[in-house]
Amino acid sequence: MSKRHAFFVSDGTGITAEALGLSLLSQFSHVTFERTTLPFIDSVDKAREATAQIDKAAQEGDGRPLVFDTIVDQGVRAELAKANAFFVDIFGTFLKPLEQELTTHSSYSVGKSHAISDRQAYKTRIDAVHFALDNDDGARTRHYDQADIILVGVSRSGKTPTSLYLALQYGLRAANYPLTEEDLDGETLPKVLKPYKSKIFGLLVDADRLAAIRNERMPGSKYASPRQCEIEVRAAQTIYKREHLPCMDVTELSVEEIASRIMQLTGIKRRLS
Amino acid sequence: MSKRHAFFVSDGTGITAEALGLSLLSQFSHVTFERTTLPFIDSVDKAREATAQIDKAAQEGDGRPLVFDTIVDQGVRAELAKANAFFVDIFGTFLKPLEQELTTHSSYSVGKSHAISDRQAYKTRIDAVHFALDNDDGARTRHYDQADIILVGVSRSGKTPTSLYLALQYGLRAANYPLTEEDLDGETLPKVLKPYKSKIFGLLVDADRLAAIRNERMPGSKYASPRQCEIEVRAAQTIYKREHLPCMDVTELSVEEIASRIMQLTGIKRRLS
């Protein structure tokens, strides 16, 4: 296995450079990458420091470092370009062709993509986060009329992280409600959810996987036993089927994938862009 | 103002294509973009549907649509390329040069970047989310020994969304603790926080902005009055200074920016990559 340094360099948070770089690097699974993110490189001086750091890494690894950068300012980019590295230069590559296509000049302004674009968007997002918190795990149900979606599922099926992700990423008001033993025994939807059927989305998870997750939390408990998990998962499935609820097996999915697929399946429109 | 369609097309969640595309488009602030994300385009059939949708948009807008895609599979990409559009083709542009640089072939496997990479990473992340929830708003303090960071600040200064973002994005265990009237009156750090001084990070926010945020929640209250907000903000500032705590004004920052800057300022290492 060879080892290479990879740098994600940005004039903002570095989130985009990182996401893009990781997405490209994930295609080279037989190379080990030593990864470093350098955010807020927004001046020639900072670029000079970054260049020094990259050059230092160049002397260590098996080959020159890879640099994925989303720096807008041409002077800063030019300074960075002095580093002994292989560049995946997003703005350098795509801005000129885009300018030609749009027959207009870019504004070359820094760090725009994760900045607060407007107050309203900020408020939408923060409100969504607080909505998800206030309506987590069935804590309250009286605000379900304001929910964009209500996730249901057995304990530890991924409801909470998905709700929070939907709030943070898309500004959606996501409540979540656990299917309890009583609901599962009766194989019926909890009464409190019935008026909101059109907003409900059911999560399913493989019983063995669920048992493993629960075992981390309460080792050796009945709650974590494969048998109990299987009974609960089957009952949840029966409820979704009987009530004709949209649902999805999330066993092999990341939180991002669960969130995206739910939006695709339900057609819910994001409140943030 | 001209108007153009912009499509973000991906074989996975579309998050990377979107982030990259928005980052490039934010440079063209005088053009209005009608944005559409097409996730999970992972077969030639789906690419054909996407192409039809893009071609339809081409007949509506002022000029052909822009397409930002992060599709790995060459057959799927070739199908998409038939659309009447301007392409920002990430993999097509950068994979070949990367293969040459790494003197190896890419695996051309689909949707890797936001998939669950391993069970341990999944667990780290979910645990971090539950940690943030359990330790939100000073609800519990007995787990602070396990915290990576403890955010402090006055009510509605952005502690909760930042904690959750640090958990979801970086797998960090972020607790948060509100500075209450008692702490602020005495201009001292709450006793319960004293043993954990090295983990504390203070948030500051402009008093007028704080008043506006609080007014949304409790219009006309003392809590939301400019005077009360100013008193609280000043007292928080005094505490941070007296206790030599790292702190930051977050008024103009997005949640992503706050999180990245905190990590940069404190040197805390992410638990997820």
Side-chain angles (χ1 to χ4, degrees):
Chain A
M1 292 263 274
S2 60
K3 184 178 144 186
R4 290 289 282 259
H5 283 274
F7 287 87
F8 312 112
V9 190
S10 166
D11 47 31
T13 60
I15 294 166
T16 305
E18 239 181 74
L20 176 79
L22 290 177
S23 156
L24 285 162
L25 293 183
S26 70
Q27 296 301 314
F28 299 93
S29 48
H30 37 299
V31 183
T32 307
F33 296 100
E34 173 96 27
R35 299 176 290 201
T36 309
T37 302
L38 303 176
F40 307 115
I41 305 298
D42 53 9
S43 70
V44 171
D45 280 352
K46 287 188 195 162
R48 202 171 289 130
E49 286 170 34
T51 302
Q53 192 174 342
I54 294 163
D55 282 343
K56 191 158 167 271
Q59 292 163 13
E60 292 167 5
D62 302 336
R64 57 184 178 167
L66 311 179
V67 174
F68 301 84
D69 88 86
T70 54
I71 290 175
V72 178
D73 184 90
Q74 301 188 50
V76 177
R77 227 162 57 215
E79 185 60 37
L80 189 72
K82 294 178 186 167
N84 175 21
F86 174 83
F87 286 89
V88 172
D89 175 358
I90 317 294
F91 280 81
T93 307
F94 292 123
L95 265 194
K96 270 267 165 292
L98 270 171
E99 285 182 334
Q100 280 167 8
E101 175 67 19
L102 296 168
T103 59
T104 178
H105 286 288
S106 96
S107 53
Y108 289 103
S109 50
V110 167
K112 282 206 166 176
S113 62
H114 286 98
I116 299 184
S117 54
D118 65 71
R119 297 286 186 219
Q120 189 52 46
Y122 182 81
K123 185 177 175 306
T124 298
R125 189 178 197 189
I126 302 305
D127 285 351
V129 168
H130 286 285
F131 186 89
L133 285 175
D134 292 344
N135 297 279
D136 182 45
D137 209 30
R140 287 198 196 104
T141 56
R142 66 176 183 276
H143 300 302
Y144 282 4
D145 55 324
Q146 292 161 45
D148 293 313
I149 188 161
I150 302 165
L151 301 179
V152 302
V154 302
S155 170
R156 290 277 153 155
S157 54
K159 301 181 298 298
T160 295
T162 305
S163 303
L164 291 168
Y165 188 83
L166 285 166
L168 273 167
Q169 183 76 11
Y170 300 115
L172 289 171
R173 298 181 176 205
N176 75 78
Y177 195 94
L179 294 175
T180 62
E181 215 157 330
E182 200 187 321
D183 310 321
L184 294 164
D185 280 352
E187 294 185 345
T188 55
L189 202 60
K191 224 181 237 165
V192 66
L193 292 179
K194 295 220 163 148
Y196 306 103
K197 256 187 82 171
S198 63
K199 297 183 181 190
I200 297 175
F201 193 95
L203 302 187
L204 282 167
V205 58
D206 175 74
D208 290 341
R209 174 85 184 112
L210 185 64
I213 294 169
R214 289 183 174 183
N215 244 312
E216 302 270 6
R217 202 175 159 202
M218 300 180 76
S221 61
K222 183 189 167 203
Y223 166 79
S225 72
R227 193 174 140 67
Q228 176 66 22
C229 290
E230 197 171 323
I231 291 170
E232 290 188 24
V233 169
R234 255 197 230 158
Q237 216 158 0
T238 305
I239 295 172
Y240 301 159
K241 205 169 167 184
R242 184 173 294 167
E243 303 279 349
H244 305 288
L245 298 174
C247 64
M248 183 171 61
D249 187 320
V250 301
T251 310
E252 295 295 330
L253 303 180
S254 69
V255 175
E256 285 86 350
E257 288 171 322
I258 302 170
S260 308
R261 285 187 191 271
I262 288 174
M263 290 174 64
Q264 204 191 24
L265 287 168
T266 59
I268 294 177
K269 293 274 169 273
R270 63 183 75 193
R271 290 181 184 271
L272 288 177
S273 55
Chain B
M1 294 263 272
S2 60
K3 183 176 145 187
R4 291 288 281 260
H5 283 275
F7 286 87
F8 312 113
V9 189
S10 167
D11 46 32
T13 61
I15 295 167
T16 305
E18 239 181 74
L20 176 79
L22 290 177
S23 157
L24 285 163
L25 293 183
S26 70
Q27 296 301 313
F28 300 92
S29 47
H30 37 299
V31 183
T32 307
F33 295 101
E34 174 95 26
R35 299 177 290 203
T36 309
T37 302
L38 302 176
F40 307 113
I41 305 298
D42 52 9
S43 70
V44 172
D45 279 352
K46 287 188 193 161
R48 202 169 291 131
E49 286 170 33
T51 301
Q53 193 174 342
I54 294 163
D55 283 342
K56 192 158 167 270
Q59 292 164 10
E60 292 167 4
D62 303 336
R64 55 183 179 167
L66 310 180
V67 174
F68 301 84
D69 88 86
T70 54
I71 289 175
V72 178
D73 184 89
Q74 301 187 48
V76 177
R77 228 161 57 217
E79 186 60 37
L80 190 70
K82 295 178 186 166
N84 174 21
F86 174 83
F87 285 90
V88 171
D89 173 359
I90 316 296
F91 279 80
T93 307
F94 292 123
L95 264 194
K96 270 267 165 292
L98 269 171
E99 285 182 335
Q100 279 167 9
E101 175 67 20
L102 295 169
T103 61
T104 179
H105 287 287
S106 97
S107 52
Y108 290 103
S109 51
V110 166
K112 281 208 165 173
S113 62
H114 286 98
I116 298 185
S117 54
D118 64 70
R119 295 287 187 219
Q120 188 52 45
Y122 182 82
K123 184 177 177 306
T124 299
R125 188 179 198 190
I126 302 305
D127 285 352
V129 168
H130 285 286
F131 186 91
L133 284 175
D134 292 343
N135 296 278
D136 182 45
D137 209 31
R140 287 199 196 103
T141 57
R142 67 177 181 275
H143 301 302
Y144 281 4
D145 55 324
Q146 292 162 45
D148 292 313
I149 189 161
I150 303 165
L151 301 179
V152 302
V154 302
S155 169
R156 289 278 153 155
S157 54
K159 302 181 299 298
T160 295
T162 305
S163 304
L164 291 168
Y165 189 82
L166 285 166
L168 273 167
Q169 182 77 11
Y170 300 114
L172 289 171
R173 296 179 178 208
N176 75 77
Y177 195 94
L179 294 175
T180 60
E181 213 157 333
E182 201 187 322
D183 311 319
L184 295 165
D185 281 350
E187 294 186 345
T188 56
L189 202 59
K191 224 181 234 162
V192 66
L193 292 179
K194 294 219 164 148
Y196 306 103
K197 255 188 81 171
S198 63
K199 297 182 180 189
I200 297 174
F201 192 96
L203 302 187
L204 283 168
V205 58
D206 176 73
D208 290 342
R209 173 85 184 112
L210 185 64
I213 294 168
R214 290 184 174 182
N215 244 312
E216 302 269 7
R217 203 175 157 202
M218 300 179 76
S221 62
K222 185 193 165 199
Y223 166 80
S225 72
R227 191 174 142 68
Q228 176 66 21
C229 290
E230 198 171 322
I231 291 171
E232 290 189 26
V233 169
R234 257 198 226 157
Q237 215 158 1
T238 305
I239 295 173
Y240 301 159
K241 206 171 168 182
R242 185 174 290 168
E243 302 279 350
H244 305 287
L245 297 174
C247 64
M248 184 171 61
D249 187 321
V250 302
T251 310
E252 294 295 332
L253 303 180
S254 69
V255 175
E256 284 87 351
E257 288 172 322
I258 301 170
S260 308
R261 286 187 191 271
I262 287 174
M263 290 175 63
Q264 203 191 25
L265 288 168
T266 59
I268 294 176
K269 293 275 170 273
R270 63 182 77 193
R271 291 181 184 273
L272 288 178
S273 55

